[in-house]
Amino acid sequence: MRNTMIGLLAVTMAASAASLDSRAIRAQALPSGAAAPPTTPLAVPSGKLDDALLEWPLPPGEQALSTIDGRRLHQLVEEQAAISRRYRDQGHPKFWGRIIGTSADAENAQWLASKFNAFGLTDVYIQPLDLSPQWFPQRWEVTVTGGGKSITLESAQPDYRAAALPAGGIDVDAVYGGFGSAADFVGKDMKGKAVFTYTMLGLHNEEAVKRADEKGATAIFEVDMLPGNMRYQAYPSNTRAPAFTVGSGDGLAVRDLIASLPPGQTARVKATLEIQMVPNLKTALVWGTLPGATDETVYIVAHRDGWFEASGDNAGGVAAMIGLAEYYSKVPRAQRRRTMVFIGLDGHHNTGPGSAVGGVWLNDPANKARLFAKTALSINCEHPSTIQTYVRPRYVDGDALHWSNMYMAQQWYAGGPSRPELTAIAVKAFKEFGVPLLTEPDPRPPAGDLGRLYRFTPGVATSEFFHYFHTDRESPDTVPWTGLQATTRAYAKIIDEVNKLPLSTFQRPEEPVPTR
Ligand SMILES: [Zn+2]
């Protein structure tokens, strides 16, 4: 039955994104010990994912928006992923991406400015911003031994801002911690040990890492149970002990090793982690402007940073922003009611003290008053297109993530409860252009960079965070061109509809800082 399922793709995760032809569908070998993946061919003659994706037709009367072409937008995702890979290949095999303050950040800023210049935007400039010392893990290695076996955890990745391990590393007992709930830890001594816990996106958050830290663990390994053996870059755990994420291939091997030992024997964990805090780095905001018929403004922003190839988060968003810049650069100025300002933001993956310096700069009272006094709309383009994947779907063999030919519904925000007109415009546009949404809006924007602007500008954001988010498998093929096209066209429709209405329809007093 499996072989007749139309349009269902079976792609398992590649340990190395570089080894995958990102435009073709083929099964990748799973780590040793995992079940063989199914090899269902894609039910299109070319066998290419690109050709299998479902494309939403243009609504009647919207022919002008046909020039927003998802396949061209996808090329921009590819170009940004290539910037990440160049950085990886320059001696950064494990902690790589378009990371703030690195050469990849600088290259990406130049690349974006060159796009803005190519479309004839005015006031294109790269505004440098100073960074506080940035966290860079230099070297780390984790090996688990027991019963004559030894496993090197290739997928182990320190959580952002994790503390270094002592010079020379640690050599301690391993403890199996299950889900990491209080019940899982009953009767287990974690003091001075290396604790392994197991979780997955969608499971209840047991605060396992925090709990193991409170129990005195020396190092904590949080296994992500998604199929494969992906490297996942987590945000800070804010624990005393360093925490690492581990792919399920490695994590299950450790679990099985622990289970294989005779009573009284324990597995041992040897681990090193060297950290450097690098001072005097810079990032940047990248600006471009399309002057309109008035000095009222519409802002289009997208964060430039991200981990690994960072295709969904956020090359897709940057591509959508560039697509809008190109589209409106061809509309005569007199027909653009408001001046459009595009900003490639530094981003926020360097979570912690001194991060998100671009957002801080934009929130400076003087800058805020000067820039946003006449703003009718701000759109944050963030993760606008994500391939719909399924974990171990029922009646389909193989321990694999299965791909579909459709993009995912997004979390969304459109002006909040005080701006019903903006919400109505956005919902109508998303529906007409085929952008699936969760049925309820977020009361505040989905996590991301609109959080820095929505309290004082009428904001719109859509976003999705799924299986490949922050992993070394977040390659361009996880960003369907069809979703890029649908979302970017909908954004354009929202801009056009907002531009038919006066500023007063959308502007509101600044909202308070949320207390959550
Ligand atoms: Zn993001």
Side-chain angles (χ1 to χ4, degrees):
M1 172 195 164
R2 195 173 80 218
N3 292 327
T4 62
M5 292 176 85
I6 305 289
L8 254 189
L9 321 178
V11 175
T12 59
M13 278 148 303
S16 160
S19 69
L20 185 77
D21 171 355
S22 67
R23 312 305 286 271
I25 299 308
R26 49 179 141 118
Q28 298 289 312
L30 279 172
S32 58
T39 54
T40 313
L42 184 60
V44 292
S46 69
K48 298 267 190 185
L49 174 60
D50 276 11
D51 298 334
L53 295 168
L54 298 187
E55 181 182 9
W56 193 269
L58 263 179
E62 301 291 355
Q63 202 53 39
L65 288 171
S66 68
T67 58
I68 295 177
D69 176 346
R71 290 180 192 261
R72 286 229 319 281
L73 297 178
H74 196 270
Q75 184 55 41
L76 301 170
V77 175
E78 300 268 8
E79 291 175 25
Q80 291 169 84
I83 293 172
S84 288
R85 291 194 302 270
R86 266 194 289 284
Y87 178 76
R88 178 195 64 193
D89 296 342
Q90 289 161 3
H92 312 101
K94 291 174 150 184
F95 183 68
W96 57 280
R98 295 187 297 286
I99 296 172
I100 290 173
T102 66
S103 59
D105 181 351
E107 182 183 351
N108 172 268
Q110 292 287 349
W111 172 86
L112 179 57
S114 76
K115 299 290 178 195
F116 287 165
N117 277 319
F119 306 141
L121 269 59
T122 63
D123 301 320
V124 176
Y125 70 104
I126 296 173
Q127 176 191 348
L129 296 165
D130 292 330
L131 290 165
S132 59
Q134 296 289 297
W135 180 89
F136 285 90
Q138 301 297 305
R139 273 170 294 279
W140 68 92
E141 192 150 308
V142 183
T143 306
V144 184
T145 54
K149 270 195 206 154
S150 181
I151 306 163
T152 297
L153 306 188
E154 295 294 343
S155 63
Q157 186 81 0
D159 289 12
Y160 195 78
R161 296 189 73 88
L165 285 167
I170 57 169
D171 183 355
V172 298
D173 282 348
V175 177
Y176 174 73
F179 289 127
S181 72
D184 286 297
F185 283 5
V186 167
K188 288 178 180 163
D189 176 18
M190 309 212 156
K191 199 163 171 48
K193 311 246 166 104
V195 177
F196 286 80
T197 65
Y198 295 74
T199 190
M200 200 176 92
L201 179 69
L203 289 190
H204 183 252
N205 181 1
E206 302 293 353
E207 304 276 7
V209 174
K210 193 163 157 271
R211 181 171 288 110
D213 192 50
E214 285 165 359
K215 292 251 182 190
T218 288
I220 305 151
F221 297 90
E222 192 176 31
V223 177
D224 184 345
M225 293 295 279
L226 285 173
N229 203 35
M230 290 191 286
R231 196 179 281 284
Y232 171 81
Q233 184 61 56
Y235 285 130
S237 64
N238 298 314
T239 49
R240 181 195 48 80
F244 295 74
T245 58
V246 176
S248 74
D250 286 340
L252 290 173
V254 170
R255 188 190 68 176
D256 294 348
L257 177 74
I258 290 171
S260 73
L261 298 175
Q265 275 190 32
T266 51
R268 297 286 290 181
V269 175
K270 280 189 183 175
T272 58
L273 174 58
E274 294 172 39
I275 304 294
Q276 204 180 338
M277 297 300 291
V278 181
N280 304 320
L281 297 175
K282 284 187 189 300
T283 185
L285 298 175
V286 181
W287 297 79
T289 300
L290 273 176
T294 72
D295 64 353
E296 294 176 4
T297 51
V298 169
Y299 280 82
I300 313 293
V301 305
H303 75 80
R304 301 183 294 106
D305 70 326
W307 281 313
F308 307 112
E309 287 178 292
S311 300
D313 174 16
N314 188 35
V318 171
M321 175 175 70
I322 294 171
L324 292 170
E326 181 176 25
Y327 173 76
Y328 284 102
S329 72
K330 299 190 168 86
V331 173
R333 178 172 179 173
Q335 290 171 32
R336 295 194 305 258
R337 173 173 179 163
R338 295 184 170 111
T339 293
M340 300 184 74
V341 183
F342 299 85
I343 315 175
L345 300 170
D346 51 323
H348 54 260
H349 287 72
N350 56 339
T351 309
S355 70
V357 288
V360 171
W361 188 89
L362 292 168
N363 273 269
D364 173 88
N367 297 332
K368 195 162 68 174
R370 182 169 55 84
L371 295 167
F372 301 113
K374 295 184 182 177
T375 299
L377 174 67
S378 60
I379 296 180
N380 176 41
C381 307
E382 192 158 346
H383 323 179
S385 177
T386 305
I387 192 80
Q388 172 74 61
T389 42
Y390 293 84
V391 179
R392 307 177 182 101
R394 184 173 294 197
Y395 306 129
V396 180
D397 297 337
D399 192 24
L401 268 179
H402 288 252
W403 288 37
S404 74
N405 59 352
M406 191 52 183
Y407 44 92
M408 292 185 68
Q410 299 185 71
Q411 300 174 35
W412 63 286
Y413 168 91
S418 74
R419 298 184 185 89
E421 299 88 349
L422 181 52
T423 305
I425 287 170
V427 167
K428 187 162 184 282
F430 291 131
K431 184 171 184 193
E432 286 177 355
F433 287 86
V435 179
L437 302 173
L438 299 196
T439 53
E440 292 296 322
D442 288 12
R444 291 196 282 273
D449 275 289
L450 191 62
R452 306 181 211 293
L453 300 176
Y454 81 98
R455 291 187 300 104
F456 51 89
T457 67
V460 168
T462 65
S463 207
E464 185 42 69
F465 317 80
F466 212 46
H467 292 140
Y468 295 109
F469 177 69
H470 285 191
T471 71
D472 63 352
R473 184 58 184 82
E474 199 192 298
S475 49
D477 56 342
T478 65
V479 181
W481 65 267
T482 44
L484 281 178
Q485 177 172 288
T487 304
T488 308
R489 287 175 176 177
Y491 288 160
K493 182 69 176 173
I494 293 167
I495 293 165
D496 290 346
E497 293 299 311
V498 164
N499 276 346
K500 291 175 183 168
L501 296 166
L503 213 49
S504 58
T505 307
F506 305 106
Q507 286 204 324
R508 299 287 181 275
E510 180 164 338
E511 294 178 28
V513 177
T515 49
R516 72 174 170 191

PDB file of all heavy atoms in Angstrom, residues 1 47 67 74 114 180 213-214 224 280 316 322-323 346 366 369 372-373 376 379 390 412 432 441 494 500 510:
ATOM      1  N   MET A   1       0.837  -1.206   0.000  1.00  0.00           N
ATOM      2  CA  MET A   1       0.000   0.000   0.000  1.00  0.00           C
ATOM      3  C   MET A   1       0.868   1.252   0.000  1.00  0.00           C
ATOM      4  O   MET A   1       0.596   2.214  -0.681  1.00  0.00           O
ATOM      5  CB  MET A   1      -0.877  -0.027   1.249  1.00  0.00           C
ATOM      6  CG  MET A   1      -1.648   1.280   1.442  1.00  0.00           C
ATOM      7  SD  MET A   1      -2.335   1.446   3.080  1.00  0.00           S
ATOM      8  CE  MET A   1      -2.685   3.173   3.091  1.00  0.00           C
ATOM      9  N   GLY A  47      10.620  13.065 -10.145  1.00  0.00           N
ATOM     10  CA  GLY A  47      11.124  12.649  -8.844  1.00  0.00           C
ATOM     11  C   GLY A  47      11.604  13.805  -7.994  1.00  0.00           C
ATOM     12  O   GLY A  47      12.258  13.620  -6.975  1.00  0.00           O
ATOM     13  N   THR A  67       4.251  38.096 -10.336  1.00  0.00           N
ATOM     14  CA  THR A  67       5.702  38.294 -10.436  1.00  0.00           C
ATOM     15  C   THR A  67       6.412  37.928  -9.136  1.00  0.00           C
ATOM     16  O   THR A  67       7.635  37.821  -9.116  1.00  0.00           O
ATOM     17  CB  THR A  67       6.047  39.753 -10.807  1.00  0.00           C
ATOM     18  OG1 THR A  67       5.494  40.614  -9.815  1.00  0.00           O
ATOM     19  CG2 THR A  67       5.488  40.112 -12.173  1.00  0.00           C
ATOM     20  N   HIS A  74      13.040  30.934  -3.646  1.00  0.00           N
ATOM     21  CA  HIS A  74      13.783  29.795  -3.098  1.00  0.00           C
ATOM     22  C   HIS A  74      15.261  29.875  -3.433  1.00  0.00           C
ATOM     23  O   HIS A  74      16.112  29.448  -2.640  1.00  0.00           O
ATOM     24  CB  HIS A  74      13.192  28.476  -3.608  1.00  0.00           C
ATOM     25  CG  HIS A  74      13.636  27.306  -2.805  1.00  0.00           C
ATOM     26  ND1 HIS A  74      14.766  26.583  -3.097  1.00  0.00           N
ATOM     27  CD2 HIS A  74      13.122  26.763  -1.672  1.00  0.00           C
ATOM     28  CE1 HIS A  74      14.918  25.634  -2.193  1.00  0.00           C
ATOM     29  NE2 HIS A  74      13.937  25.719  -1.312  1.00  0.00           N
ATOM     30  N   SER A 114      23.463  44.196  -1.379  1.00  0.00           N
ATOM     31  CA  SER A 114      23.604  44.135  -2.843  1.00  0.00           C
ATOM     32  C   SER A 114      22.251  43.850  -3.507  1.00  0.00           C
ATOM     33  O   SER A 114      21.981  44.343  -4.603  1.00  0.00           O
ATOM     34  CB  SER A 114      24.645  43.091  -3.246  1.00  0.00           C
ATOM     35  OG  SER A 114      24.121  41.779  -3.121  1.00  0.00           O
ATOM     36  N   GLY A 180      12.872  12.584  32.529  1.00  0.00           N
ATOM     37  CA  GLY A 180      13.392  13.650  33.376  1.00  0.00           C
ATOM     38  C   GLY A 180      12.351  14.258  34.299  1.00  0.00           C
ATOM     39  O   GLY A 180      12.574  15.310  34.901  1.00  0.00           O
ATOM     40  N   ASP A 213      19.976  19.484  36.959  1.00  0.00           N
ATOM     41  CA  ASP A 213      20.931  20.470  37.483  1.00  0.00           C
ATOM     42  C   ASP A 213      20.728  20.654  38.985  1.00  0.00           C
ATOM     43  O   ASP A 213      21.696  20.677  39.755  1.00  0.00           O
ATOM     44  CB  ASP A 213      20.723  21.795  36.740  1.00  0.00           C
ATOM     45  CG  ASP A 213      21.840  22.788  36.988  1.00  0.00           C
ATOM     46  OD1 ASP A 213      23.012  22.398  36.835  1.00  0.00           O
ATOM     47  OD2 ASP A 213      21.542  23.952  37.327  1.00  0.00           O
ATOM     48  N   GLU A 214      19.472  20.760  39.389  1.00  0.00           N
ATOM     49  CA  GLU A 214      19.180  20.938  40.827  1.00  0.00           C
ATOM     50  C   GLU A 214      19.608  19.720  41.643  1.00  0.00           C
ATOM     51  O   GLU A 214      19.929  19.834  42.816  1.00  0.00           O
ATOM     52  CB  GLU A 214      17.676  21.210  41.019  1.00  0.00           C
ATOM     53  CG  GLU A 214      17.286  22.627  40.605  1.00  0.00           C
ATOM     54  CD  GLU A 214      15.771  22.813  40.437  1.00  0.00           C
ATOM     55  OE1 GLU A 214      15.027  21.833  40.625  1.00  0.00           O
ATOM     56  OE2 GLU A 214      15.378  23.947  40.081  1.00  0.00           O
ATOM     57  N   ASP A 224      16.977  14.226  21.795  1.00  0.00           N
ATOM     58  CA  ASP A 224      15.796  14.565  21.001  1.00  0.00           C
ATOM     59  C   ASP A 224      15.358  13.306  20.262  1.00  0.00           C
ATOM     60  O   ASP A 224      16.099  12.780  19.434  1.00  0.00           O
ATOM     61  CB  ASP A 224      16.166  15.673  20.013  1.00  0.00           C
ATOM     62  CG  ASP A 224      14.971  16.149  19.218  1.00  0.00           C
ATOM     63  OD1 ASP A 224      13.938  15.442  19.214  1.00  0.00           O
ATOM     64  OD2 ASP A 224      15.064  17.221  18.595  1.00  0.00           O
ATOM     65  N   ASN A 280      34.744  42.216  21.053  1.00  0.00           N
ATOM     66  CA  ASN A 280      34.973  43.179  19.951  1.00  0.00           C
ATOM     67  C   ASN A 280      34.396  42.747  18.608  1.00  0.00           C
ATOM     68  O   ASN A 280      34.904  43.143  17.567  1.00  0.00           O
ATOM     69  CB  ASN A 280      36.481  43.469  19.789  1.00  0.00           C
ATOM     70  CG  ASN A 280      37.100  43.956  21.077  1.00  0.00           C
ATOM     71  OD1 ASN A 280      36.472  44.745  21.811  1.00  0.00           O
ATOM     72  ND2 ASN A 280      38.281  43.467  21.406  1.00  0.00           N
ATOM     73  N   GLY A 316      14.217  31.863   4.707  1.00  0.00           N
ATOM     74  CA  GLY A 316      12.911  32.004   4.072  1.00  0.00           C
ATOM     75  C   GLY A 316      12.308  33.383   4.333  1.00  0.00           C
ATOM     76  O   GLY A 316      11.722  34.001   3.431  1.00  0.00           O
ATOM     77  N   ILE A 322      12.999  40.246   0.629  1.00  0.00           N
ATOM     78  CA  ILE A 322      13.618  40.652  -0.642  1.00  0.00           C
ATOM     79  C   ILE A 322      12.588  40.590  -1.769  1.00  0.00           C
ATOM     80  O   ILE A 322      12.547  41.467  -2.646  1.00  0.00           O
ATOM     81  CB  ILE A 322      14.834  39.755  -0.954  1.00  0.00           C
ATOM     82  CG1 ILE A 322      15.946  39.993   0.081  1.00  0.00           C
ATOM     83  CG2 ILE A 322      15.364  40.013  -2.360  1.00  0.00           C
ATOM     84  CD1 ILE A 322      17.095  38.997  -0.010  1.00  0.00           C
ATOM     85  N   GLY A 323      11.740  39.576  -1.736  1.00  0.00           N
ATOM     86  CA  GLY A 323      10.697  39.460  -2.761  1.00  0.00           C
ATOM     87  C   GLY A 323       9.766  40.662  -2.752  1.00  0.00           C
ATOM     88  O   GLY A 323       9.354  41.153  -3.815  1.00  0.00           O
ATOM     89  N   ASP A 346      19.730  42.064  12.810  1.00  0.00           N
ATOM     90  CA  ASP A 346      20.823  41.195  13.271  1.00  0.00           C
ATOM     91  C   ASP A 346      20.283  39.856  13.751  1.00  0.00           C
ATOM     92  O   ASP A 346      20.828  38.813  13.446  1.00  0.00           O
ATOM     93  CB  ASP A 346      21.608  41.889  14.380  1.00  0.00           C
ATOM     94  CG  ASP A 346      20.707  42.411  15.494  1.00  0.00           C
ATOM     95  OD1 ASP A 346      19.591  42.875  15.180  1.00  0.00           O
ATOM     96  OD2 ASP A 346      21.088  42.348  16.674  1.00  0.00           O
ATOM     97  N   ALA A 366      14.617  57.794  21.231  1.00  0.00           N
ATOM     98  CA  ALA A 366      14.825  58.788  20.164  1.00  0.00           C
ATOM     99  C   ALA A 366      14.683  58.130  18.788  1.00  0.00           C
ATOM    100  O   ALA A 366      14.043  58.679  17.877  1.00  0.00           O
ATOM    101  CB  ALA A 366      16.205  59.431  20.305  1.00  0.00           C
ATOM    102  N   ALA A 369      10.971  57.270  18.140  1.00  0.00           N
ATOM    103  CA  ALA A 369      10.140  58.440  17.816  1.00  0.00           C
ATOM    104  C   ALA A 369      10.395  58.900  16.377  1.00  0.00           C
ATOM    105  O   ALA A 369       9.471  59.274  15.650  1.00  0.00           O
ATOM    106  CB  ALA A 369      10.434  59.566  18.795  1.00  0.00           C
ATOM    107  N   PHE A 372       9.215  55.624  13.757  1.00  0.00           N
ATOM    108  CA  PHE A 372       7.922  54.932  13.733  1.00  0.00           C
ATOM    109  C   PHE A 372       6.709  55.828  14.025  1.00  0.00           C
ATOM    110  O   PHE A 372       5.620  55.328  14.256  1.00  0.00           O
ATOM    111  CB  PHE A 372       7.946  53.760  14.726  1.00  0.00           C
ATOM    112  CG  PHE A 372       9.018  52.743  14.429  1.00  0.00           C
ATOM    113  CD1 PHE A 372      10.094  52.565  15.280  1.00  0.00           C
ATOM    114  CD2 PHE A 372       8.954  51.972  13.271  1.00  0.00           C
ATOM    115  CE1 PHE A 372      11.079  51.629  15.014  1.00  0.00           C
ATOM    116  CE2 PHE A 372       9.941  51.029  12.987  1.00  0.00           C
ATOM    117  CZ  PHE A 372      11.013  50.856  13.860  1.00  0.00           C
ATOM    118  N   ALA A 373       6.921  57.167  13.976  1.00  0.00           N
ATOM    119  CA  ALA A 373       5.810  58.065  14.316  1.00  0.00           C
ATOM    120  C   ALA A 373       4.652  57.936  13.324  1.00  0.00           C
ATOM    121  O   ALA A 373       3.492  58.132  13.684  1.00  0.00           O
ATOM    122  CB  ALA A 373       6.311  59.513  14.369  1.00  0.00           C
ATOM    123  N   ALA A 376       2.165  52.788   9.449  1.00  0.00           N
ATOM    124  CA  ALA A 376       0.845  52.175   9.291  1.00  0.00           C
ATOM    125  C   ALA A 376       0.893  50.660   9.461  1.00  0.00           C
ATOM    126  O   ALA A 376      -0.131  50.029   9.761  1.00  0.00           O
ATOM    127  CB  ALA A 376       0.286  52.515   7.912  1.00  0.00           C
ATOM    128  N   ILE A 379       5.657  44.449   9.012  1.00  0.00           N
ATOM    129  CA  ILE A 379       5.573  42.998   8.795  1.00  0.00           C
ATOM    130  C   ILE A 379       6.920  42.390   9.124  1.00  0.00           C
ATOM    131  O   ILE A 379       7.953  42.825   8.596  1.00  0.00           O
ATOM    132  CB  ILE A 379       5.202  42.661   7.329  1.00  0.00           C
ATOM    133  CG1 ILE A 379       3.799  43.189   7.000  1.00  0.00           C
ATOM    134  CG2 ILE A 379       5.252  41.144   7.101  1.00  0.00           C
ATOM    135  CD1 ILE A 379       3.346  42.900   5.571  1.00  0.00           C
ATOM    136  N   TYR A 390       5.933  14.316   9.011  1.00  0.00           N
ATOM    137  CA  TYR A 390       5.214  13.437   9.939  1.00  0.00           C
ATOM    138  C   TYR A 390       6.207  12.499  10.605  1.00  0.00           C
ATOM    139  O   TYR A 390       7.040  11.904   9.929  1.00  0.00           O
ATOM    140  CB  TYR A 390       4.152  12.630   9.174  1.00  0.00           C
ATOM    141  CG  TYR A 390       3.060  13.521   8.649  1.00  0.00           C
ATOM    142  CD1 TYR A 390       3.217  14.194   7.436  1.00  0.00           C
ATOM    143  CD2 TYR A 390       1.903  13.741   9.377  1.00  0.00           C
ATOM    144  CE1 TYR A 390       2.246  15.061   6.970  1.00  0.00           C
ATOM    145  CE2 TYR A 390       0.917  14.602   8.912  1.00  0.00           C
ATOM    146  CZ  TYR A 390       1.096  15.254   7.715  1.00  0.00           C
ATOM    147  OH  TYR A 390       0.132  16.110   7.257  1.00  0.00           O
ATOM    148  N   TRP A 412       0.279  32.906  14.118  1.00  0.00           N
ATOM    149  CA  TRP A 412       0.164  34.234  13.506  1.00  0.00           C
ATOM    150  C   TRP A 412      -0.357  35.277  14.495  1.00  0.00           C
ATOM    151  O   TRP A 412      -0.970  34.959  15.515  1.00  0.00           O
ATOM    152  CB  TRP A 412      -0.753  34.185  12.287  1.00  0.00           C
ATOM    153  CG  TRP A 412      -2.176  33.803  12.607  1.00  0.00           C
ATOM    154  CD1 TRP A 412      -2.622  32.557  12.923  1.00  0.00           C
ATOM    155  CD2 TRP A 412      -3.315  34.661  12.664  1.00  0.00           C
ATOM    156  NE1 TRP A 412      -3.965  32.583  13.165  1.00  0.00           N
ATOM    157  CE2 TRP A 412      -4.425  33.863  13.010  1.00  0.00           C
ATOM    158  CE3 TRP A 412      -3.511  36.032  12.447  1.00  0.00           C
ATOM    159  CZ2 TRP A 412      -5.709  34.389  13.159  1.00  0.00           C
ATOM    160  CZ3 TRP A 412      -4.786  36.548  12.583  1.00  0.00           C
ATOM    161  CH2 TRP A 412      -5.869  35.730  12.927  1.00  0.00           C
ATOM    162  N   GLU A 432      -7.118  34.059   0.816  1.00  0.00           N
ATOM    163  CA  GLU A 432      -7.169  34.150  -0.651  1.00  0.00           C
ATOM    164  C   GLU A 432      -5.909  33.607  -1.316  1.00  0.00           C
ATOM    165  O   GLU A 432      -5.968  33.059  -2.414  1.00  0.00           O
ATOM    166  CB  GLU A 432      -7.361  35.611  -1.074  1.00  0.00           C
ATOM    167  CG  GLU A 432      -8.758  36.120  -0.826  1.00  0.00           C
ATOM    168  CD  GLU A 432      -8.924  37.593  -1.170  1.00  0.00           C
ATOM    169  OE1 GLU A 432      -7.933  38.266  -1.527  1.00  0.00           O
ATOM    170  OE2 GLU A 432     -10.057  38.063  -1.071  1.00  0.00           O
ATOM    171  N   PRO A 441      -5.469  33.400  16.492  1.00  0.00           N
ATOM    172  CA  PRO A 441      -4.226  34.181  16.490  1.00  0.00           C
ATOM    173  C   PRO A 441      -3.540  34.097  17.855  1.00  0.00           C
ATOM    174  O   PRO A 441      -4.177  33.798  18.860  1.00  0.00           O
ATOM    175  CB  PRO A 441      -4.707  35.610  16.229  1.00  0.00           C
ATOM    176  CG  PRO A 441      -6.102  35.643  16.744  1.00  0.00           C
ATOM    177  CD  PRO A 441      -6.663  34.252  16.538  1.00  0.00           C
ATOM    178  N   ILE A 494      -1.675  42.383   1.918  1.00  0.00           N
ATOM    179  CA  ILE A 494      -1.921  43.108   3.176  1.00  0.00           C
ATOM    180  C   ILE A 494      -1.406  44.547   3.062  1.00  0.00           C
ATOM    181  O   ILE A 494      -2.091  45.501   3.459  1.00  0.00           O
ATOM    182  CB  ILE A 494      -1.250  42.366   4.349  1.00  0.00           C
ATOM    183  CG1 ILE A 494      -1.941  41.014   4.589  1.00  0.00           C
ATOM    184  CG2 ILE A 494      -1.281  43.218   5.626  1.00  0.00           C
ATOM    185  CD1 ILE A 494      -1.172  40.067   5.496  1.00  0.00           C
ATOM    186  N   LYS A 500      -4.807  51.466   1.519  1.00  0.00           N
ATOM    187  CA  LYS A 500      -6.061  52.114   1.123  1.00  0.00           C
ATOM    188  C   LYS A 500      -6.696  52.885   2.273  1.00  0.00           C
ATOM    189  O   LYS A 500      -7.676  53.605   2.073  1.00  0.00           O
ATOM    190  CB  LYS A 500      -7.061  51.053   0.629  1.00  0.00           C
ATOM    191  CG  LYS A 500      -6.678  50.404  -0.689  1.00  0.00           C
ATOM    192  CD  LYS A 500      -7.653  49.285  -1.044  1.00  0.00           C
ATOM    193  CE  LYS A 500      -7.226  48.599  -2.333  1.00  0.00           C
ATOM    194  NZ  LYS A 500      -7.982  47.349  -2.552  1.00  0.00           N
ATOM    195  N   GLU A 510       1.097  53.192  22.547  1.00  0.00           N
ATOM    196  CA  GLU A 510       2.046  52.106  22.806  1.00  0.00           C
ATOM    197  C   GLU A 510       1.513  51.168  23.880  1.00  0.00           C
ATOM    198  O   GLU A 510       0.998  51.612  24.911  1.00  0.00           O
ATOM    199  CB  GLU A 510       3.397  52.683  23.221  1.00  0.00           C
ATOM    200  CG  GLU A 510       4.427  51.613  23.517  1.00  0.00           C
ATOM    201  CD  GLU A 510       5.856  52.141  23.540  1.00  0.00           C
ATOM    202  OE1 GLU A 510       6.125  53.196  22.941  1.00  0.00           O
ATOM    203  OE2 GLU A 510       6.702  51.477  24.167  1.00  0.00           O
TER     204      GLU A 510
END
